[in-house]
Amino acid sequence: VYKESSTNLVSLSLMPAVFPAALWPVAAMEVHTSKEVNAVNGTNLRLKCTFSSSSPISQHLSVTWNFRPEDLGSHELVLYYLQEPYNLPAGRFKERVTWDGNIERNDVSIMIWNLQPTDNGTFTCQVKNPPDANGVVGEVRLRVVQKVHFSEIHFLAVAIVSACVLMIIVVTVVIICRHHRKKAQEKRIEVTEKQSLKARDEKEDSPLED
């Protein structure tokens, strides 16, 4: 009985090692995008999307870019790629979206021209490279703003420049004060010397007492 129980325990302990792929399947296709992007109204923006596949790139590789507006409306097709990019004949992105990727470098990015406030929403990038057809869909949230908001780096740069300007002002004031103080001291010394010389001359010109 002891030997049989030990054999069963060993068999159970080896199950995760023998059947890992069946129990926990690993996604063969991985898509990488920025989580959130801010851009200024009226400018152009490159939405970067890259992928990695466990299979060699085939001629059947396809890329689908979709858009979901902030009001959580229905998905809209932005661009489709299959051996070559296919632009939309109509819609909000007509003649405003172009292919800017390089399949050989695993890059499936797009360019959006003349950003508008209606472009606020979530863009999704899906790549299929048969047999790697399943995997994580890349998402990037776009916020179109009217003007650029200062980032922490901008604030740091402004703080450094302000500190440098303040230091220059302080040093300049100190130099000017020392210069005026030196001039005043030289003037006092000059006045004192003149008074001493005048007193000596007056003493020499006065008659001697008997």
Side-chain angles (χ1 to χ4, degrees):
V1 176
Y2 176 78
K3 291 183 178 180
E4 184 177 358
S5 301
S6 301
T7 303
N8 292 335
L9 290 174
V10 172
S11 300
L12 291 173
S13 64
L14 291 176
M15 284 182 65
V18 176
F19 305 104
L23 296 178
W24 297 283
V26 178
M29 174 65 69
E30 294 184 0
V31 180
H32 310 280
T33 57
S34 302
K35 298 298 181 183
E36 185 172 341
V37 176
N38 297 332
V40 181
N41 183 33
T43 61
N44 307 322
L45 174 67
R46 185 177 190 264
L47 286 183
K48 186 177 180 180
C49 179
T50 58
F51 70 92
S52 58
S53 176
S54 61
S55 301
I57 297 177
S58 68
Q59 294 183 349
H60 302 289
L61 182 143
S62 64
V63 181
T64 305
W65 276 91
N66 286 321
F67 172 72
R68 185 177 69 248
E70 283 191 333
D71 57 7
L72 301 179
S74 59
H75 283 75
E76 302 176 21
L77 181 63
V78 177
L79 183 141
Y80 181 74
Y81 179 96
L82 179 62
Q83 296 185 357
E84 62 177 294
Y86 294 89
N87 295 323
L88 295 179
R92 75 174 74 198
F93 296 107
K94 178 184 177 182
E95 299 180 350
R96 290 202 303 121
V97 173
T98 55
W99 173 260
D100 197 45
N102 188 333
I103 297 298
E104 295 179 356
R105 296 184 179 181
N106 294 13
D107 189 347
V108 292
S109 306
I110 61 174
M111 279 288 298
I112 303 179
W113 304 87
N114 189 21
L115 288 173
Q116 302 174 7
T118 55
D119 297 335
N120 283 311
T122 302
F123 290 81
T124 59
C125 174
Q126 184 178 21
V127 183
K128 294 183 179 181
N129 182 38
D132 295 346
N134 297 323
V136 178
V137 178
E139 290 190 358
V140 51
R141 184 171 181 267
L142 173 63
R143 293 180 63 251
V144 180
V145 297
Q146 296 298 326
K147 60 181 179 179
V148 179
H149 294 284
F150 278 145
S151 63
E152 293 182 358
I153 296 179
H154 291 141
F155 280 118
L156 181 60
V158 171
I160 293 175
V161 172
S162 301
C164 292
V165 172
L166 181 61
M167 186 178 298
I168 292 173
I169 293 175
V170 171
V171 172
T172 303
V173 171
V174 171
I175 293 175
I176 292 175
C177 290
R178 288 184 177 180
H179 179 72
H180 283 292
R181 187 182 302 172
K182 184 178 180 181
K183 286 291 184 181
Q185 185 176 2
E186 290 177 354
K187 188 174 183 180
R188 285 196 300 270
I189 294 174
E190 183 180 358
V191 170
T192 303
E193 289 179 352
K194 287 183 177 180
Q195 291 177 350
S196 300
L197 183 61
K198 184 178 180 181
R200 188 178 61 185
D201 292 341
E202 290 177 352
K203 184 176 182 183
E204 290 178 354
D205 293 339
S206 61
L208 297 176
E209 295 181 358
D210 293 337

